[in-house]
């Protein structure tokens, strides 16, 4: 476990040099047809004496929504969104293709954009590892060195998933795209990893690839989501829109609520007064809680720096950028600690106690209450469901 922690530290320390998308797109994408042969990953039955089941393509094609993401762009809902944005055919619009397909810059002969979010969207361009990776004697690390993406590493996995499920500064669901009718994004790493899996994590997987811990995945997902938010906020291209900041980074319910008046109450975590548009700090709040068992002092630091960021948004753009950069540096330092921490049931109790204390102070009056009232499946609900699942299963 200790060694695994170290490996994670090294990985995540290097991860900020090249983003997930750059790594995934660094080599030619050969296309799903290259993976789906019946003796490769296209078997209908699981193979017995292979490291992997080899029926991954069949599972992906039948059950995984990623196989249908291109088809989504041909439907009336997508056409209506694109028309409102003046984009024309959504299957030709880069902004839509970037997240709904494997919009790789370098493509092999068998590559088809209509395959949607195919194998190499997550596993990386196979140009240099395709031939070697089927050989049992080849180590996972050798494949990674040749451009396979480390989806087993929670930090790297979170970065890859969130590049589409939250967006990055280069591909983003803006408030304008939302306004045109795009569904709201909500993502939680552990839950989403297990919604439509074409893989099994058992003893054999652990022997080949290392430890697996669902609570840690959840915790890492919070940290990377929070980093993502801050990166989008400080990017001059995406963070601002005319005289307004990019509204999608703010708490939707600060603006979208039924006007009744007299509902406002203070939140220590923001320190803001009434009538102020708040940044959406849901992941920052959760990251502070997942730090509770790891390092209480660090959790307090995230609390203070998040509050300072909220205050800065009422001062100026420069103050906001400075506060966001300070917090981003803190997260850079703390995410590897969370990724290396061995969460157990005692840590889960510490997290729940930390959340309870916040709830007692009225910290969740903003988004959680609003989400429930509107019956949407937003972050807070996904997270509450997730915690319940872990508390019952004691994973
Ligand atoms: C940053 C990545 C990203 C971009 C950019 C993006 N989408 Fe999406 N889109 C998603 C994700 C992720 C979902 C699934 C959301 C969920 O269910 O959590 C989705 C869902 C949808 C859905 C609903 C699908 C369903 O089955 O309910 C439609 C329609 C859609 N997108 C159309 C578009 C169009 C049209 C564009 C271009 C204007 C676009 N999207 C741009 C990531 C993106
Ligand atoms: C949305 C992202 C995503 C897509 C698309 C995807 N995978 Fe995966 N795949 C993962 C994740 C996450 C894992 C589990 C972690 C790991 O083992 O790296 C995984 C695991 C696997 C494994 C098991 C690896 C092992 O060591 O046990 C195989 C084999 C695999 N995928 C093949 C495929 C094939 C073939 C396709 C296309 C038909 C595909 N994947 C599409 C994310 C993806
Ligand atoms: C290249 C972009 C892209 C990447 C990378 C990606 N996804 Fe997705 N994902 C999508 C889109 C787009 C949809 C919406 C599918 C639709 O309805 O058309 C989606 C849908 C999903 C859904 C179904 C959501 C629901 O509401 O049922 C799950 C679960 C999911 N993704 C998990 C993951 C995980 C886990 C990863 C990382 C290992 C990942 N995705 C990586 C683009 C991506
Ligand atoms: C600063 C206030 C503010 C914030 C924060 C904000 N919005 Fe909006 N939203 C608006 C305004 C203003 C409009 C435009 C209304 C109009 O066109 O008349 C709008 C329009 C929309 C629409 C189109 C509504 C319609 O009638 O078709 C959607 C959907 C939407 N917002 C979703 C969101 C989501 C999701 C979030 C959070 C991620 C969010 N908004 C955050 C102010 C806000």
């Amino acid at each position: 476990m200790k060694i695994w922690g170290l490996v994670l530290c090294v990985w995540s320390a290097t991860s900020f040099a090249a983003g997930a998308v750059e790594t995934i797109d660094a080599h030619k994408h050969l296309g799903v047809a290259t993976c789906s042969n019946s003796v490769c990953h296209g078997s209908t039955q699981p193979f017995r004496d292979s490291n992997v089941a080899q029926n991954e393509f069949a599972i992906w094609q039948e059950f995984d929504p990623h196989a249908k993401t291109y088809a989504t762009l041909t439907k009336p809902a997508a056409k209506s969104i694109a028309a409102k944005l003046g984009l024309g055919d959504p299957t030709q619009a880069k902004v839509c293709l970037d997240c709904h397909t494997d919009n790789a810059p370098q493509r092999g002969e068998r590559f088809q954009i209509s395959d949607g979010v195919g194998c190499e969207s997550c596993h990386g361009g196979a140009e240099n590892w395709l031939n070697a990776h089927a050989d049992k004697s080849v180590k996972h690390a050798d494949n990674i060195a040749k451009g396979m993406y480390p989806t087993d590493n929670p930090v790297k996995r979170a970065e890859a998933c969130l590049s589409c499920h939250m967006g990055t500064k280069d591909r983003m669901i803006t408030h304008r795209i939302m306004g045109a009718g795009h569904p709201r994004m909500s993502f939680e790493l552990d839950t989403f990893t297990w919604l439509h899996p074409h893989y099994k994590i058992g003893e054999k997987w652990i022997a080949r690839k290392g430890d697996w811990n669902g609570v840690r995945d959840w915790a890492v997902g919070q940290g990377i989501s929070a980093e993502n938010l801050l990166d989008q906020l400080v990017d001059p291209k995406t963070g601002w829109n005319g005289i307004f900041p990019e509204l999608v980074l703010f708490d939707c319910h600060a603006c979208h609520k039924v006007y009744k008046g007299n509902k406002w109450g203070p939140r220590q975590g923001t320190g803001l007064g009434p009538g102020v548009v708040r940044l959406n700090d849901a992941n920052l709040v959760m990251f502070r809680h997942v730090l509770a068992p790891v390092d209480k002092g660090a959790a307090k630091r995230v609390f203070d720096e998040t509050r300072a960021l909220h205050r800065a948004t009422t001062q100026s753009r420069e103050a906001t950028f400075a506060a966001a950069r300070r917090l981003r540096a803190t997260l850079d330092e703390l995410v590897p600690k969370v990724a290396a921490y061995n969460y157990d049931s005692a840590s889960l109790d510490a997290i729940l106690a930390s959340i309870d204390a916040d709830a007692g102070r009225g910290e969740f009056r903003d988004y959680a209450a609003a989400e429930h009232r509107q019956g949407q499946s937003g972050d807070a609900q996904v997270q509450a469901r997730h915690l319940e699942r872990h508390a019952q299963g004691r994973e």
Side-chain angles (χ1 to χ4, degrees):
M1 301 250 175
K2 280 264 152 50
I3 296 171
W4 177 232
L6 260 179
V7 173
L8 276 174
C9 286
V10 174
W11 252 326
S12 47
T14 50
S15 71
F16 302 110
V21 181
E22 285 87 347
T23 310
I24 286 167
D25 286 349
H27 303 284
K28 196 185 278 180
H29 287 215
L30 304 179
V32 173
T34 332
C35 321
S36 61
N37 190 295
S38 61
V39 295
C40 301
H41 296 288
S43 168
T44 47
Q45 296 301 319
F47 274 46
R48 277 172 193 278
D49 51 357
S50 166
N51 276 340
V52 304
Q54 298 193 214
N55 60 354
E56 293 82 8
F57 166 75
I59 296 176
W60 171 84
Q61 192 178 42
E62 190 168 348
F63 301 107
D64 192 327
H66 295 116
K68 296 163 189 86
T69 45
Y70 180 86
T72 295
L73 294 183
T74 65
K75 301 225 163 104
K79 287 186 179 150
S80 154
I81 296 170
K84 285 180 188 166
L85 294 165
L87 286 171
D89 179 357
T91 66
Q92 304 295 321
K94 179 178 175 349
V95 58
C96 311
L97 292 171
D98 274 352
C99 293
H100 282 265
T101 67
D102 183 5
N103 203 12
Q106 315 172 59
R107 303 172 182 185
E109 279 163 22
R110 305 179 75 187
F111 181 95
Q112 288 189 355
I113 195 78
S114 57
D115 283 333
V117 177
C119 319
E120 290 161 291
S121 304
C122 294
H123 292 294
E127 181 178 16
N128 293 345
W129 53 261
L130 181 72
N131 289 336
H133 85 290
D135 185 337
K136 267 191 179 175
S137 65
V138 174
K139 295 248 172 332
H140 184 47
D142 298 335
N143 294 324
I144 304 287
K146 292 202 174 95
M148 185 184 272
Y149 191 80
T151 41
D152 51 320
N153 174 321
V155 171
K156 302 300 281 178
R157 177 158 24 99
E159 288 176 353
C161 309
L162 286 166
S163 73
C164 296
H165 281 273
M166 183 167 172
T168 64
K169 55 190 170 55
D170 303 313
R171 41 160 105 148
M172 192 172 173
I173 289 290
T174 59
H175 186 254
R176 286 179 187 191
I177 299 181
M178 291 265 176
H182 196 278
R184 177 128 182 243
M185 304 285 224
S186 76
F187 184 81
E188 190 278 289
L189 184 63
D190 184 42
T191 306
F192 272 58
T193 299
W194 291 109
L195 278 180
H196 313 278
H198 53 274
Y199 36 81
K200 287 203 172 77
I201 311 295
E203 276 170 29
K204 270 163 63 182
W205 188 95
I206 289 170
R208 279 183 295 117
K209 289 184 156 174
D211 194 13
W212 186 281
N213 181 325
V215 178
R216 182 175 58 199
D217 278 11
W218 171 66
V220 166
Q222 298 305 320
I224 302 294
S225 303
E227 289 188 348
N228 215 330
L229 172 92
L230 298 174
D231 288 344
Q232 295 183 352
L233 181 68
V234 301
D235 191 80
K237 191 168 81 250
T238 55
W240 301 83
N241 212 334
I243 64 165
F244 288 106
E246 172 48 61
L247 297 184
V248 89
L249 305 175
F250 288 78
D251 180 359
C252 316
H253 303 297
C255 300
H256 293 283
K257 57 180 167 196
V258 184
Y259 178 71
K260 288 218 184 82
N262 215 15
K263 280 257 184 265
W264 185 84
R267 260 187 67 200
Q268 281 182 28
T270 69
L272 299 174
V276 179
V277 181
R278 302 165 296 269
L279 265 181
N280 177 3
D281 63 357
N283 296 120
L284 284 161
V285 170
M286 278 300 159
F287 188 62
R288 176 159 63 72
H289 293 308
V290 301
L291 271 171
V294 183
D295 182 340
K296 276 214 157 60
K300 172 79 169 55
R301 203 166 122 208
V302 171
F303 177 88
D304 291 342
E305 291 183 3
T306 303
R307 204 176 134 102
L309 173 62
H310 280 298
R311 189 170 55 244
T313 62
T314 65
Q315 293 164 342
S316 69
R317 194 182 290 200
E318 290 69 33
T320 302
F321 279 25
R325 292 210 175 94
R326 200 172 317 122
L327 183 51
R328 178 67 166 84
T330 298
L331 295 182
D332 261 6
E333 186 190 318
L334 296 177
V335 166
K337 277 196 179 178
V338 164
Y341 191 72
N342 190 17
Y343 285 91
D344 57 11
S345 60
S347 1
L348 202 54
D349 288 339
I351 296 174
L352 288 169
S354 173
I355 293 176
D356 269 355
D358 253 12
R361 285 194 294 264
E363 277 297 292
F364 296 120
R365 78 170 87 242
D366 269 359
Y367 45 87
E371 302 273 16
H372 282 286
R373 201 175 57 232
Q374 302 210 347
Q376 292 174 345
S377 87
D379 298 349
Q381 271 187 326
V382 171
Q383 281 157 8
R385 262 206 314 274
H386 176 78
L387 272 177
E388 261 166 39
R389 190 160 67 82
H390 276 301
Q392 282 159 10
R394 286 278 172 233
E395 286 174 38

